Amino acid sequence: MKAVHLSFALLLACHCNVAQANDWPGFRGADRSDIQTESGLLKKWPKDGPKKLWMSEEGGLGYAGFSIVNGTVYTMGANDDFEEFLLALDAKTGEEKWRTAIGARYTNRWGDGPRGTPAVDGEHVYTLGARGDVICVKAADGKEVWKANLVEEYGGKLQNWGYTESLLVDGDRVICTPGGEKGTLLALNKKTGKKIWQTKDWTDVAQYSSPLVVEHQGVRQYIQRSMTNVAGIEAETGKVLWMQPFAAGKVAVIPTPVYADGKVYVSAGYGVGCMMFEIGANKPKVVYENTNMVNHHGGVILVGKHLYGYSDKGGWTCQDFATGEVVWQEKKLGKGAIHCADGQLYLLEETSGTVVLIDASPDGWKEHGRFVIEPQTEQRAKDGRIWTHPVVSNGQLYLRDQELIFAYAVK
């Protein structure tokens, strides 16, 4: 009997580990590559698209993304009481588990509400409201553990779109970007919310990009960008290890940097383009800078040796990571966001809500299905679009149009 119980326990443990491997704990995944390694997903969709499992109307206003951990979907929204909130939904049914107030609702012409994605770390969830409210809550019930504000406490300054960053949790640190004279990048203790360090030698104003963590030559560091610079910050001390100028225009810098094998790739919209440089022993060395990828905010993903994303200049683009040259471009779908899962790209057009499945391949655009999100919100701002990035986790595709949150079966 004991052997039976032990066997069952082992099977259960294996099952749980498999499920956790396909969870999505934060923006662009655990490593911020935006690649879901889950296998067995549909390689071709039915004529009308994958089956819709559920739709929730409880998301509230905003463009916040999804984290999916242990059967719970975490996101954010804004309500009619002019509050922003953190929301937990059941991944199987879409039913609300709990919601917790974050702070005052951010308003602007492109749409009210929060813009980032919560980060799940163990028993806690961390997130950032559009007005700079950083909050840590218990994942089980949403009970607040601690709270801070990037503007009031750390010298941050709200930009036109508010704070859109998705927090990075690394070790005992929560990494965020208040920007300003007190320091561009900030590390808070994830248990207490108290400051560990704030960059003294980097004081650029914050933009809208989210940082990533890498190990380079044995040194753990955070890579983040401002309107004029890309920097590597030592994880333990907050010291600037290197800085590469990148004149990203005067409007907005949004896409998260891409890192591979000691090389950093950044892109920006508004006609700016992209740059790839090597992190050298003394200072970075630029490998190329061009306008082959003018990515505004839909994201760029490195799959193997090639980059994929939407370029304002040429449409959906496959770019050689090493050389920066265009491999192929296609305009069969308009501007939007991208996500990668099981060797395929999930593309979302921001104006129509059309979702397309293609191969992540340098051999060209190979489409395997498309559908349109239905229904669509009636609350979207006139100047807003469908900007929340798609996410696949545990066989389900998650999409959002303001208060409407969707889950589709893609396995």
Side-chain angles (χ1 to χ4, degrees), residues 70-83:
N70 291 333
T72 301
V73 181
Y74 301 92
T75 188
M76 297 184 287
N79 59 30
D80 292 338
D81 294 327
F82 280 83
E83 278 186 328

Side-chain angles (χ1 to χ4, degrees), residues 23-168:
D23 280 347
W24 197 255
F27 182 59
R28 291 174 65 93
D31 60 0
R32 300 218 155 171
S33 67
D34 213 349
I35 298 176
Q36 170 62 272
T37 57
E38 182 175 350
S39 61
L41 302 179
L42 294 176
K43 295 300 181 180
K44 185 177 182 180
W45 288 343
K47 181 180 179 181
D48 297 326
K51 179 183 178 182
K52 184 192 297 183
L53 297 173
W54 53 259
M55 181 187 79
S56 169
E57 300 180 37
E58 303 303 319
L61 298 180
Y63 300 102
F66 308 109
S67 297
I68 303 96
V69 176
N70 291 333
T72 301
V73 181
Y74 301 92
T75 188
M76 297 184 287
N79 59 30
D80 292 338
D81 294 327
F82 280 83
E83 278 186 328
E84 293 183 354
F85 57 85
L86 177 59
L87 176 68
L89 302 175
D90 187 292
K92 289 184 178 180
T93 66
E95 294 295 318
E96 181 176 327
K97 291 186 173 182
W98 54 257
R99 66 174 59 201
T100 300
I102 298 172
R105 173 169 152 180
Y106 183 77
T107 61
N108 73 359
R109 53 176 279 199
W110 298 278
D112 295 357
R115 284 92 160 90
T117 301
V120 184
D121 181 74
E123 298 179 355
H124 296 95
V125 184
Y126 304 81
T127 202
L128 172 65
R131 289 190 174 275
D133 295 297
V134 181
I135 187 171
C136 168
V137 307
K138 292 184 178 179
D141 56 13
K143 183 178 180 181
E144 183 179 314
V145 178
W146 59 259
K147 195 172 184 180
N149 186 278
L150 299 186
V151 177
E152 297 171 2
E153 300 175 53
Y154 298 106
K157 182 179 179 181
L158 281 175
Q159 302 299 295
N160 289 337
W161 286 271
Y163 281 100
T164 72
E165 174 185 26
S166 298
L167 299 178
L168 173 67

Side-chain angles (χ1 to χ4, degrees), residues 280-325:
N282 299 314
K283 63 179 182 179
K285 176 184 177 182
V286 176
V287 179
Y288 59 79
E289 185 175 7
N290 58 47
T291 57
N292 289 340
M293 181 73 80
V294 185
N295 186 260
H296 186 193
H297 51 58
V300 177
I301 300 176
L302 176 63
V303 184
K305 298 180 180 180
H306 297 88
L307 297 151
Y308 300 88
Y310 185 89
S311 174
D312 292 344
K313 181 180 177 181
W316 290 98
T317 299
C318 173
Q319 183 182 27
D320 189 292
F321 178 68
T323 66
E325 296 302 312

Side-chain angles (χ1 to χ4, degrees), residues 165-396:
E165 174 185 26
S166 298
L167 299 178
L168 173 67
V169 182
D170 178 50
D172 65 348
R173 297 176 288 272
V174 176
I175 305 302
C176 44
T177 315
E181 294 181 357
K182 290 186 176 181
T184 301
L185 207 65
L186 169 71
L188 300 175
N189 184 292
K190 75 176 183 182
K191 294 182 179 180
T192 66
K194 301 300 181 182
K195 183 177 79 171
I196 297 175
W197 51 253
Q198 190 167 1
T199 54
K200 297 179 180 179
D201 42 358
W202 190 29
T203 56
D204 289 354
V205 174
Q207 272 293 295
Y208 309 104
S209 180
S210 298
L212 71 157
V213 58
V214 306
E215 288 277 352
H216 177 67
Q217 295 181 345
V219 179
R220 197 165 186 82
Q221 55 186 273
Y222 306 117
I223 300 176
Q224 178 59 304
R225 56 192 302 206
S226 67
M227 186 72 78
T228 54
N229 294 295
V230 185
I233 308 300
E234 189 173 52
E236 288 295 327
T237 65
K239 175 185 176 182
V240 173
L241 297 171
W242 54 264
M243 190 171 293
Q244 172 59 48
F246 181 55
K250 298 180 180 180
V251 183
V253 175
I254 304 167
T256 295
V258 173
Y259 171 88
D261 301 324
K263 301 176 178 65
V264 178
Y265 174 97
V266 288
S267 56
Y270 303 98
V272 175
C274 61
M275 172 190 284
M276 191 269 273
F277 57 88
E278 296 179 355
I279 306 175
N282 299 314
K283 63 179 182 179
K285 176 184 177 182
V286 176
V287 179
Y288 59 79
E289 185 175 7
N290 58 47
T291 57
N292 289 340
M293 181 73 80
V294 185
N295 186 260
H296 186 193
H297 51 58
V300 177
I301 300 176
L302 176 63
V303 184
K305 298 180 180 180
H306 297 88
L307 297 151
Y308 300 88
Y310 185 89
S311 174
D312 292 344
K313 181 180 177 181
W316 290 98
T317 299
C318 173
Q319 183 182 27
D320 189 292
F321 178 68
T323 66
E325 296 302 312
V326 171
V327 178
W328 58 257
Q329 289 186 316
E330 185 56 70
K331 294 185 177 181
K332 291 182 179 179
L333 185 72
K335 179 180 179 179
I338 188 171
H339 174 68
C340 182
D342 197 13
Q344 294 179 295
L345 301 175
Y346 293 70
L347 313 180
L348 169 62
E349 186 178 68
E350 64 180 35
T351 53
S352 69
T354 300
V355 187
V356 173
L357 182 71
I358 69 169
D359 290 340
S361 170
D363 296 332
W365 179 284
K366 296 181 180 179
E367 187 172 323
H368 301 291
R370 64 169 60 201
F371 70 99
V372 178
I373 297 175
E374 292 179 350
Q376 294 186 12
T377 185
E378 296 180 357
Q379 300 190 61
R380 193 188 315 138
K382 180 181 178 181
D383 293 320
R385 301 289 186 270
I386 302 176
W387 283 326
T388 302
H389 290 208
V391 169
V392 172
S393 178
N394 295 305
Q396 297 184 185

